[in-house]
Short mmCIF file of all heavy atoms in Angstrom, two decimals:
data_model
loop_
_atom_site.label_atom_id
_atom_site.label_comp_id
_atom_site.label_asym_id
_atom_site.label_seq_id
_atom_site.Cartn_x
_atom_site.Cartn_y
_atom_site.Cartn_z
N MET A 18 5.46 18.20 -5.19
CA MET A 18 6.24 17.40 -6.09
C MET A 18 5.42 16.57 -7.03
O MET A 18 5.68 16.42 -8.22
CB MET A 18 7.24 16.51 -5.29
CG MET A 18 8.31 17.27 -4.51
SD MET A 18 9.23 16.17 -3.47
CE MET A 18 10.01 15.05 -4.67
N ILE A 19 4.36 15.94 -6.46
CA ILE A 19 3.47 15.12 -7.30
C ILE A 19 2.86 15.95 -8.36
O ILE A 19 2.78 15.58 -9.54
CB ILE A 19 2.41 14.44 -6.43
CG1 ILE A 19 3.08 13.39 -5.47
CG2 ILE A 19 1.36 13.75 -7.26
CD1 ILE A 19 2.18 12.84 -4.39
N ALA A 20 2.36 17.15 -7.99
CA ALA A 20 1.65 18.02 -8.97
C ALA A 20 2.56 18.50 -10.00
O ALA A 20 2.20 18.68 -11.19
CB ALA A 20 1.02 19.18 -8.22
N ARG A 21 3.85 18.74 -9.67
CA ARG A 21 4.85 19.31 -10.62
C ARG A 21 5.64 18.21 -11.40
O ARG A 21 6.42 18.52 -12.29
CB ARG A 21 5.80 20.22 -9.90
CG ARG A 21 5.12 21.41 -9.24
CD ARG A 21 6.10 22.13 -8.32
NE ARG A 21 5.49 23.27 -7.67
CZ ARG A 21 6.08 23.98 -6.69
NH1 ARG A 21 7.35 23.62 -6.31
NH2 ARG A 21 5.48 24.99 -6.13
N GLY A 22 5.50 16.96 -10.93
CA GLY A 22 6.24 15.90 -11.57
C GLY A 22 7.66 15.82 -11.15
O GLY A 22 8.51 15.26 -11.82
N GLU A 23 7.99 16.37 -9.99
CA GLU A 23 9.36 16.32 -9.45
C GLU A 23 9.74 14.96 -8.94
O GLU A 23 8.86 14.27 -8.37
CB GLU A 23 9.55 17.35 -8.29
CG GLU A 23 9.38 18.83 -8.73
CD GLU A 23 9.56 19.73 -7.53
OE1 GLU A 23 10.66 19.74 -6.91
OE2 GLU A 23 8.61 20.48 -7.20
N LYS A 24 10.95 14.56 -9.07
CA LYS A 24 11.41 13.23 -8.76
C LYS A 24 12.11 13.19 -7.31
O LYS A 24 12.08 12.16 -6.67
CB LYS A 24 12.32 12.64 -9.75
CG LYS A 24 11.67 12.43 -11.10
CD LYS A 24 10.45 11.49 -11.02
CE LYS A 24 9.89 11.27 -12.42
NZ LYS A 24 8.67 10.34 -12.33
N ALA A 25 12.74 14.28 -6.95
CA ALA A 25 13.48 14.27 -5.67
C ALA A 25 13.63 15.67 -5.14
O ALA A 25 13.59 16.64 -5.85
CB ALA A 25 14.91 13.67 -5.94
N ALA A 26 13.74 15.74 -3.82
CA ALA A 26 13.91 17.01 -3.11
C ALA A 26 14.48 16.74 -1.76
O ALA A 26 14.43 15.60 -1.26
CB ALA A 26 12.63 17.79 -3.03
N ARG A 27 14.98 17.78 -1.16
CA ARG A 27 15.43 17.71 0.23
C ARG A 27 14.90 18.85 1.08
O ARG A 27 14.64 19.94 0.53
CB ARG A 27 16.98 17.75 0.31
CG ARG A 27 17.65 16.44 -0.21
CD ARG A 27 19.18 16.46 -0.01
NE ARG A 27 19.76 15.20 -0.42
CZ ARG A 27 19.86 14.16 0.40
NH1 ARG A 27 19.44 14.26 1.64
NH2 ARG A 27 20.45 13.03 -0.03
N MET A 28 14.76 18.60 2.38
CA MET A 28 14.32 19.69 3.27
C MET A 28 15.17 19.65 4.51
O MET A 28 15.59 18.58 4.99
CB MET A 28 12.84 19.46 3.68
CG MET A 28 11.85 19.50 2.57
SD MET A 28 10.15 19.10 3.10
CE MET A 28 9.82 20.55 4.18
N ASP A 29 15.50 20.81 5.05
CA ASP A 29 16.28 20.93 6.28
C ASP A 29 15.44 21.86 7.21
O ASP A 29 15.26 23.07 6.95
CB ASP A 29 17.61 21.58 5.98
CG ASP A 29 18.51 21.66 7.24
OD1 ASP A 29 18.00 21.37 8.30
OD2 ASP A 29 19.68 22.02 7.10
N VAL A 30 14.81 21.25 8.23
CA VAL A 30 13.80 21.93 9.03
C VAL A 30 14.23 22.14 10.44
O VAL A 30 14.46 21.17 11.17
CB VAL A 30 12.43 21.14 8.99
CG1 VAL A 30 11.35 21.92 9.70
CG2 VAL A 30 12.05 20.80 7.57
N PRO A 31 14.36 23.41 10.90
CA PRO A 31 14.62 23.70 12.33
C PRO A 31 13.31 23.53 13.11
O PRO A 31 12.28 24.11 12.71
CB PRO A 31 15.12 25.13 12.33
CG PRO A 31 14.49 25.73 11.13
CD PRO A 31 14.33 24.69 10.13
N LEU A 32 13.37 22.77 14.19
CA LEU A 32 12.17 22.54 14.99
C LEU A 32 12.02 23.57 16.08
O LEU A 32 12.20 23.26 17.27
CB LEU A 32 12.21 21.10 15.58
CG LEU A 32 12.39 19.98 14.55
CD1 LEU A 32 12.47 18.65 15.23
CD2 LEU A 32 11.23 19.99 13.53
N GLY A 33 11.71 24.79 15.69
CA GLY A 33 11.64 25.85 16.66
C GLY A 33 10.33 26.58 16.65
O GLY A 33 9.38 26.11 15.96
N PRO A 34 10.19 27.67 17.38
CA PRO A 34 8.89 28.38 17.48
C PRO A 34 8.37 28.84 16.11
O PRO A 34 7.17 29.00 15.95
CB PRO A 34 9.26 29.53 18.42
CG PRO A 34 10.47 29.13 19.16
CD PRO A 34 11.23 28.23 18.22
N GLU A 35 9.30 29.09 15.17
CA GLU A 35 8.82 29.62 13.88
C GLU A 35 7.89 28.65 13.19
O GLU A 35 7.13 29.09 12.26
CB GLU A 35 10.03 30.02 13.00
CG GLU A 35 10.99 28.93 12.64
CD GLU A 35 12.05 28.74 13.63
OE1 GLU A 35 11.91 29.13 14.80
OE2 GLU A 35 13.14 28.17 13.21
N ILE A 36 7.99 27.35 13.44
CA ILE A 36 7.06 26.45 12.77
C ILE A 36 6.10 25.83 13.75
O ILE A 36 5.39 24.88 13.44
CB ILE A 36 7.80 25.32 12.00
CG1 ILE A 36 8.54 24.36 13.02
CG2 ILE A 36 8.79 25.87 11.03
CD1 ILE A 36 8.92 23.02 12.40
N GLY A 37 6.06 26.33 15.03
CA GLY A 37 5.11 25.85 15.96
C GLY A 37 5.52 24.57 16.69
O GLY A 37 4.71 23.91 17.27
N GLN A 38 6.79 24.21 16.64
CA GLN A 38 7.33 23.03 17.37
C GLN A 38 8.41 23.51 18.31
O GLN A 38 9.20 24.38 17.95
CB GLN A 38 7.75 21.90 16.42
CG GLN A 38 6.55 21.26 15.73
CD GLN A 38 6.94 19.90 15.09
OE1 GLN A 38 6.69 19.69 13.95
NE2 GLN A 38 7.49 19.02 15.87
N CYS A 39 8.53 22.84 19.45
CA CYS A 39 9.45 23.29 20.44
C CYS A 39 10.49 22.22 20.80
O CYS A 39 11.04 22.23 21.87
CB CYS A 39 8.75 23.77 21.69
SG CYS A 39 7.65 22.52 22.44
N CYS A 40 10.70 21.25 19.90
CA CYS A 40 11.68 20.25 20.22
C CYS A 40 13.09 20.86 20.38
O CYS A 40 13.90 20.36 21.14
CB CYS A 40 11.72 19.16 19.09
SG CYS A 40 10.22 18.20 18.99
N GLY A 41 13.38 21.81 19.55
CA GLY A 41 14.69 22.51 19.63
C GLY A 41 15.78 21.89 18.80
O GLY A 41 16.91 22.40 18.76
N GLY A 42 15.43 20.88 18.04
CA GLY A 42 16.46 20.19 17.19
C GLY A 42 16.30 20.62 15.75
O GLY A 42 15.73 21.64 15.41
N ARG A 43 16.82 19.75 14.91
CA ARG A 43 16.80 20.01 13.41
C ARG A 43 16.67 18.65 12.71
O ARG A 43 17.27 17.71 13.18
CB ARG A 43 18.04 20.74 12.99
CG ARG A 43 17.96 21.45 11.72
CD ARG A 43 19.23 22.29 11.41
NE ARG A 43 19.01 23.17 10.25
CZ ARG A 43 18.74 24.45 10.39
NH1 ARG A 43 18.62 25.00 11.55
NH2 ARG A 43 18.54 25.18 9.32
N VAL A 44 15.88 18.66 11.63
CA VAL A 44 15.64 17.41 10.94
C VAL A 44 15.91 17.62 9.44
O VAL A 44 15.44 18.63 8.87
CB VAL A 44 14.16 16.93 11.15
CG1 VAL A 44 13.87 15.76 10.21
CG2 VAL A 44 13.95 16.53 12.59
N GLU A 45 16.62 16.69 8.85
CA GLU A 45 16.81 16.72 7.41
C GLU A 45 16.03 15.62 6.79
O GLU A 45 16.00 14.49 7.26
CB GLU A 45 18.30 16.54 7.09
CG GLU A 45 19.17 17.69 7.56
CD GLU A 45 20.65 17.53 7.23
OE1 GLU A 45 20.97 16.72 6.31
OE2 GLU A 45 21.48 18.19 7.87
N LEU A 46 15.34 15.96 5.67
CA LEU A 46 14.42 15.04 5.04
C LEU A 46 14.85 14.81 3.54
O LEU A 46 15.31 15.74 2.92
CB LEU A 46 12.96 15.56 5.03
CG LEU A 46 12.34 15.91 6.37
CD1 LEU A 46 10.98 16.54 6.10
CD2 LEU A 46 12.23 14.68 7.22
N GLU A 47 14.65 13.61 3.10
CA GLU A 47 14.84 13.31 1.67
C GLU A 47 13.50 12.88 1.15
O GLU A 47 12.82 12.01 1.69
CB GLU A 47 15.85 12.17 1.43
CG GLU A 47 16.04 11.79 -0.04
CD GLU A 47 17.00 10.68 -0.24
OE1 GLU A 47 16.56 9.50 0.06
OE2 GLU A 47 18.14 10.89 -0.64
N LEU A 48 13.05 13.52 0.09
CA LEU A 48 11.78 13.24 -0.58
C LEU A 48 12.08 12.68 -1.94
O LEU A 48 12.77 13.29 -2.76
CB LEU A 48 10.88 14.51 -0.70
CG LEU A 48 10.44 15.17 0.65
CD1 LEU A 48 11.54 16.12 1.15
CD2 LEU A 48 9.15 15.92 0.45
N ARG A 49 11.52 11.46 -2.26
CA ARG A 49 11.89 10.81 -3.49
C ARG A 49 10.62 10.11 -4.06
O ARG A 49 9.86 9.48 -3.34
CB ARG A 49 12.96 9.84 -3.29
CG ARG A 49 13.58 9.23 -4.53
CD ARG A 49 14.82 8.41 -4.26
NE ARG A 49 15.87 9.24 -3.73
CZ ARG A 49 16.65 10.02 -4.52
NH1 ARG A 49 16.53 10.04 -5.84
NH2 ARG A 49 17.60 10.76 -3.97
N HIS A 50 10.47 10.26 -5.41
CA HIS A 50 9.34 9.61 -6.07
C HIS A 50 9.53 8.06 -6.07
O HIS A 50 10.65 7.54 -6.33
CB HIS A 50 9.23 10.07 -7.48
CG HIS A 50 8.22 9.27 -8.31
ND1 HIS A 50 6.87 9.48 -8.24
CD2 HIS A 50 8.44 8.24 -9.20
CE1 HIS A 50 6.27 8.65 -9.06
NE2 HIS A 50 7.20 7.88 -9.64
N VAL A 51 8.46 7.33 -5.71
CA VAL A 51 8.47 5.88 -5.76
C VAL A 51 7.13 5.45 -6.41
O VAL A 51 6.16 6.20 -6.40
CB VAL A 51 8.62 5.22 -4.39
CG1 VAL A 51 9.98 5.52 -3.76
CG2 VAL A 51 7.47 5.65 -3.47
N GLU A 52 7.11 4.27 -7.00
CA GLU A 52 5.89 3.77 -7.66
C GLU A 52 4.81 3.41 -6.69
O GLU A 52 3.63 3.65 -6.92
CB GLU A 52 6.24 2.59 -8.56
CG GLU A 52 7.10 2.94 -9.76
CD GLU A 52 6.45 3.98 -10.64
OE1 GLU A 52 5.26 3.95 -10.77
OE2 GLU A 52 7.20 4.85 -11.21
N ALA A 53 5.22 2.83 -5.52
CA ALA A 53 4.20 2.39 -4.57
C ALA A 53 4.90 2.22 -3.20
O ALA A 53 6.12 1.98 -3.10
CB ALA A 53 3.54 1.11 -4.97
N ALA A 54 4.15 2.25 -2.16
CA ALA A 54 4.64 2.03 -0.80
C ALA A 54 4.94 0.50 -0.66
O ALA A 54 4.21 -0.29 -1.24
CB ALA A 54 3.66 2.46 0.25
N PRO A 55 5.98 0.14 0.06
CA PRO A 55 6.22 -1.27 0.25
C PRO A 55 5.14 -1.92 1.07
O PRO A 55 4.45 -1.19 1.83
CB PRO A 55 7.60 -1.28 0.97
CG PRO A 55 7.63 0.07 1.69
CD PRO A 55 6.90 1.00 0.81
N PRO A 56 4.98 -3.23 1.00
CA PRO A 56 4.00 -3.90 1.81
C PRO A 56 4.35 -3.73 3.28
O PRO A 56 5.51 -3.67 3.65
CB PRO A 56 4.05 -5.35 1.37
CG PRO A 56 5.36 -5.51 0.77
CD PRO A 56 5.74 -4.18 0.12
N ALA A 57 3.28 -3.65 4.14
CA ALA A 57 3.57 -3.53 5.57
C ALA A 57 4.30 -4.75 6.09
O ALA A 57 3.92 -5.87 5.71
CB ALA A 57 2.21 -3.34 6.31
N PRO A 58 5.26 -4.56 6.96
CA PRO A 58 5.96 -5.75 7.46
C PRO A 58 5.06 -6.57 8.39
O PRO A 58 4.12 -5.98 8.95
CB PRO A 58 7.16 -5.12 8.30
CG PRO A 58 6.62 -3.75 8.64
CD PRO A 58 5.78 -3.31 7.49
N ASP A 59 5.40 -7.79 8.50
CA ASP A 59 4.62 -8.70 9.44
C ASP A 59 4.82 -8.14 10.86
O ASP A 59 5.92 -7.77 11.27
CB ASP A 59 5.17 -10.16 9.39
CG ASP A 59 4.73 -10.78 8.07
OD1 ASP A 59 3.79 -10.31 7.44
OD2 ASP A 59 5.44 -11.75 7.66
N ARG A 60 3.72 -8.17 11.65
CA ARG A 60 3.83 -7.67 12.98
C ARG A 60 4.27 -8.85 13.89
O ARG A 60 3.78 -9.92 13.77
CB ARG A 60 2.45 -7.17 13.44
CG ARG A 60 2.04 -5.92 12.64
CD ARG A 60 0.76 -5.33 13.25
NE ARG A 60 0.52 -4.02 12.64
CZ ARG A 60 -0.17 -3.05 13.21
NH1 ARG A 60 -0.68 -3.24 14.41
NH2 ARG A 60 -0.34 -1.88 12.59
N PRO A 61 5.21 -8.56 14.86
CA PRO A 61 5.61 -9.64 15.76
C PRO A 61 4.51 -10.19 16.54
O PRO A 61 3.58 -9.42 17.06
CB PRO A 61 6.63 -8.94 16.64
CG PRO A 61 7.07 -7.72 15.89
CD PRO A 61 5.91 -7.32 15.08
N GLN A 62 4.42 -11.47 16.64
CA GLN A 62 3.32 -12.14 17.43
C GLN A 62 3.61 -12.05 18.91
O GLN A 62 4.75 -12.14 19.37
CB GLN A 62 3.23 -13.63 17.05
CG GLN A 62 2.51 -13.88 15.78
CD GLN A 62 2.11 -15.36 15.62
OE1 GLN A 62 2.31 -16.12 16.54
NE2 GLN A 62 1.62 -15.71 14.47
N VAL A 63 2.54 -11.89 19.65
CA VAL A 63 2.56 -11.93 21.14
C VAL A 63 1.47 -12.97 21.51
O VAL A 63 0.27 -12.67 21.31
CB VAL A 63 2.31 -10.61 21.78
CG1 VAL A 63 2.45 -10.75 23.32
CG2 VAL A 63 3.39 -9.56 21.32
N LEU A 64 1.86 -14.09 22.04
CA LEU A 64 0.88 -15.08 22.46
C LEU A 64 0.53 -14.80 23.92
O LEU A 64 1.42 -14.78 24.79
CB LEU A 64 1.43 -16.48 22.31
CG LEU A 64 1.83 -16.93 20.90
CD1 LEU A 64 2.22 -18.39 20.88
CD2 LEU A 64 0.73 -16.66 19.88
N ILE A 65 -0.77 -14.67 24.18
CA ILE A 65 -1.24 -14.38 25.53
C ILE A 65 -2.04 -15.60 26.00
O ILE A 65 -3.06 -15.95 25.44
CB ILE A 65 -2.16 -13.16 25.57
CG1 ILE A 65 -1.47 -11.93 24.95
CG2 ILE A 65 -2.67 -12.83 26.98
CD1 ILE A 65 -2.44 -10.81 24.62
#
């Protein structure tokens, strides 16, 4: 998408032997152009 200048796409992927994964489920993906990744969220503190 980056190379072609595409702005959006979708994928519907079965998680079976044909792709080398054996979860057995199915995953739908949305791919969308953004200018930048958001800043990482603050990590919860753990006081030891």
Side-chain angles (χ1 to χ4, degrees):
M18 292 174 63
I19 294 170
R21 298 170 182 171
E23 295 180 62
K24 297 299 183 183
R27 289 184 174 275
M28 297 176 67
D29 186 351
V30 184
L32 304 177
E35 61 270 23
I36 69 163
Q38 289 196 233
C39 57
C40 294
R43 199 175 191 98
V44 172
E45 295 180 20
L46 305 175
E47 180 181 73
L48 297 84
R49 187 170 298 278
H50 171 80
V51 295
E52 292 301 325
D59 291 337
R60 296 188 169 203
Q62 280 192 8
V63 181
L64 300 186
I65 305 166

